[in-house]
């Protein structure tokens, strides 16, 4: 009996040992990840690669294949983390360097990409990657159309009056040329010039004296400069400066001395508008936060502007992103809060789309760290905009933007008898601009 028990015990121990051996068979992650890479099964490769890393299989090829899988799945922030580790094992592999730079760029982290590329030894810089950091030229131009004149005809004051005056917007044209110029490992200079021409009509009616109307143009030229400095890899400091030269002529003339005094002297007028300030941003793979302060002067009226902004990339790529800004703009007479919300993302292959909504008066305010300065005097109630972006390759992008503004026109009217008053009405402006950005070869 004892011998039978010992024999049974030996058989049981032998069988248990076999089960234990089967359960402890190690997975050959090298062969498995290579097969999944060759078969381009990116979902399985990403899951398997991260499982292998968690189990201690952490070396160059595992990290590289896992990073490639994340990149192919457009999870660029995730890809960057693995490719950074891969480069710690092999800092000279050009494919890893190029893919890491693109992961930074496609996850919306151009500043980080630039710092990384500039940190590479000259013999280790990938040529294709280097071209991404040559100076970038951007151009934008297009017309704007307004129904201001027809709205004024519908809404103008009627009845007996002593004096009436109105300035009507007709159409305009806008052109911009600028460049982003790398200057060292952590400095980028944004410089641009623009020219605008606004076609307008001035109408003055003086009961018993004259009824005058004349067309004229307001011509505006601007210069913009903003150096951007990266400090500590996560902080971007961007001071900015904008100077505008405004020129126009009085289209109305009269031989009557009283009328001439009321409508003002003829001849060309010119003045300068100026804005300066800057913003500080905190950079992260999935989001960015910024705070900015600016001083603006528009037609001899001074404004102070402050803003809070946040860019969110929830998936670590540019397939979906949003930009929210809250701005406080004030002068000695008024205070205005402006809310701006933009949502963008990939629509189909190589084409992205953006929609934007703005609530609040843009007059005397600026956007995008002074890249746009609204120094016209008509009040803006809100704006709806859309933009399509076509990415031809890593170096060339084309865009088409439409913006619809709801504005408030005004008429100065003195009734007979009575006290003069400013009467307002709504009108619309539609602008259409096409643009391109090009990395120089």
């Amino acid at each position: 009996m004892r011998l039978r028990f010992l024999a049974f015990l030996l058989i049981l121990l032998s069988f248990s040992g076999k089960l234990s051996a089967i359960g402890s068979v190690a997975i050959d992650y090298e062969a498995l990840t290579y097969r999944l890479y060759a078969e381009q099964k990116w979902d399985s490769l990403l899951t398997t690669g991260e499982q292998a890393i968690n189990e201690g299989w952490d070396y160059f090829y595992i990290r590289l294949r896992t990073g490639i899988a994340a990149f192919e799945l457009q999870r660029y922030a995730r890809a960057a983390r693995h490719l950074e580790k891969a480069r710690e094992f092999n800092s000279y592999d050009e494919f890893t360097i190029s893919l890491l730079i693109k992961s930074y760029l496609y996850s919306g982290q151009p500043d980080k990409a630039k710092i990384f590329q500039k940190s590479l030894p000259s013999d280790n810089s990938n040529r294709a990657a280097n071209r991404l950091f040559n100076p970038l030229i951007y151009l934008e131009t297009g017309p704007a159309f307004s129904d201001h004149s027809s709205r004024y005809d519908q809404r103008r004051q009627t009845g007996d009056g002593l004096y009436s005056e109105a300035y009507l917007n007709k159409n305009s044209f806008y052109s911009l040329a600028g460049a982003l110029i790398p200057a060292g490992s952590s400095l980028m200079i944004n410089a641009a010039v623009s020219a605008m021409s606004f076609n307008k009509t001035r109408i003055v009616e003086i009961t018993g004296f004259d009824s005058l109307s004349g067309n004229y143009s307001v011509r505006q030229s601007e210069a913009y400069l903003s150096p951007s400095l990266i400090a500590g890899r996560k902080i971007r400091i961007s001071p900015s400066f904008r100077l505008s030269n405004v020129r126009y002529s009085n289209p109305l003339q009269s031989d009557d001395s009283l009328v001439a005094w009321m409508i003002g002297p003829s001849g060309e007028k010119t003045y300068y508008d100026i804005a300066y300030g800057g913003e500080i941003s905190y950079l992260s793979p999935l989001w960015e936060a910024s705070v900015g302060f600016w001083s603006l002067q528009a037609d001899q009226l001074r404004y102070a502007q402050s803003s809070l902004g946040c860019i969110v990339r929830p998936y670590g790529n540019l397939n979906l992103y949003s930009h929210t800004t809250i701005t406080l703009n004030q002068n000695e007479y008024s205070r205005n809060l402006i809310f701006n919300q933009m949502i963008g993302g990939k629509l189909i292959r190589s084409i992205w789309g953006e929609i934007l909504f703005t609530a609040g008066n843009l007059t005397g305010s600026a956007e995008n760290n002074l890249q746009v300065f609204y120094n016209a005097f008509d009040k803006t109630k809100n704006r709806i905009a859309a933009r399509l972006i076509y990415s031809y390759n890593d170096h060339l992008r084309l865009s088409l933007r439409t913006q619809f503004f709801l504005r408030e026109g005004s008429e100065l009217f003195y009734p007979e008898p009575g006290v003069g008053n400013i009467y307002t009405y709504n009108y619309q402006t539609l602008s259409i601009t096409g643009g391109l950005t090009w990395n120089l070869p």
Side-chain angles (χ1 to χ4, degrees), residues 165 202-204 212-215 249-254 263-266:
E165 183 173 8
R202 183 185 180 190
I203 298 175
V204 173
L212 304 172
S213 177
N215 296 323
S249 296
N250 182 4
L252 306 183
Q253 294 183 1
S254 176
I263 65 176
S266 61

Side-chain angles (χ1 to χ4, degrees), residues 26 55 70 116 268 270 329 408:
E55 294 182 13
F116 169 68
E268 185 167 285
T270 183
N329 182 270
E408 187 177 89

Side-chain angles (χ1 to χ4, degrees), residues 151-288:
R151 290 284 182 169
Y152 170 74
D153 290 337
Q154 297 170 9
R155 303 293 182 180
R156 65 182 301 175
Q157 298 301 304
T158 58
D160 294 334
L162 295 174
Y163 184 89
S164 174
E165 183 173 8
Y167 294 84
L168 308 180
N169 292 311
K170 298 173 68 176
N171 54 61
S172 60
F173 199 84
Y174 161 77
S175 297
L176 167 74
L180 291 173
I181 306 169
S185 61
S186 58
L187 180 63
M188 179 76 76
I189 298 174
N190 187 355
V193 293
S194 60
M196 287 163 278
S197 178
F198 303 90
N199 294 319
K200 295 175 175 285
T201 297
R202 183 185 180 190
I203 298 175
V204 173
E205 293 187 359
I206 308 172
T207 302
F209 285 93
D210 212 340
S211 179
L212 304 172
S213 177
N215 296 323
Y216 68 106
S217 294
V218 176
R219 298 174 302 279
Q220 184 169 306
S221 55
E222 300 185 334
Y224 174 73
L225 179 65
S226 177
S228 182
L229 176 67
I230 305 297
R233 300 178 66 88
K234 289 185 177 294
I235 303 296
R236 180 177 62 224
I237 304 171
S238 304
S240 58
F241 175 82
R242 190 171 201 93
L243 179 65
S244 301
N245 174 244
V246 182
R247 304 176 307 280
Y248 68 97
S249 296
N250 182 4
L252 306 183
Q253 294 183 1
S254 176
D255 295 330
D256 187 285
S257 59
L258 178 60
V259 174
W261 174 79
M262 296 179 72
I263 65 176
S266 61
E268 185 167 285
K269 307 292 189 301
T270 183
Y271 63 89
Y272 289 90
D273 289 338
I274 188 170
Y276 56 89
E279 64 180 10
I280 300 176
S281 304
Y282 178 83
L283 311 177
S284 171
L286 300 182
W287 57 275
E288 297 178 17

Side-chain angles (χ1 to χ4, degrees), residues 296-305 329-336 364:
L296 312 102
Q297 177 183 302
D299 195 12
Q300 300 182 353
L301 186 61
R302 288 195 172 275
Y303 298 82
Q305 177 175 311
N329 182 270
Q330 55 188 342
N331 57 43
E332 58 182 311
Y333 304 107
S334 63
R335 176 180 295 181
N336 183 40

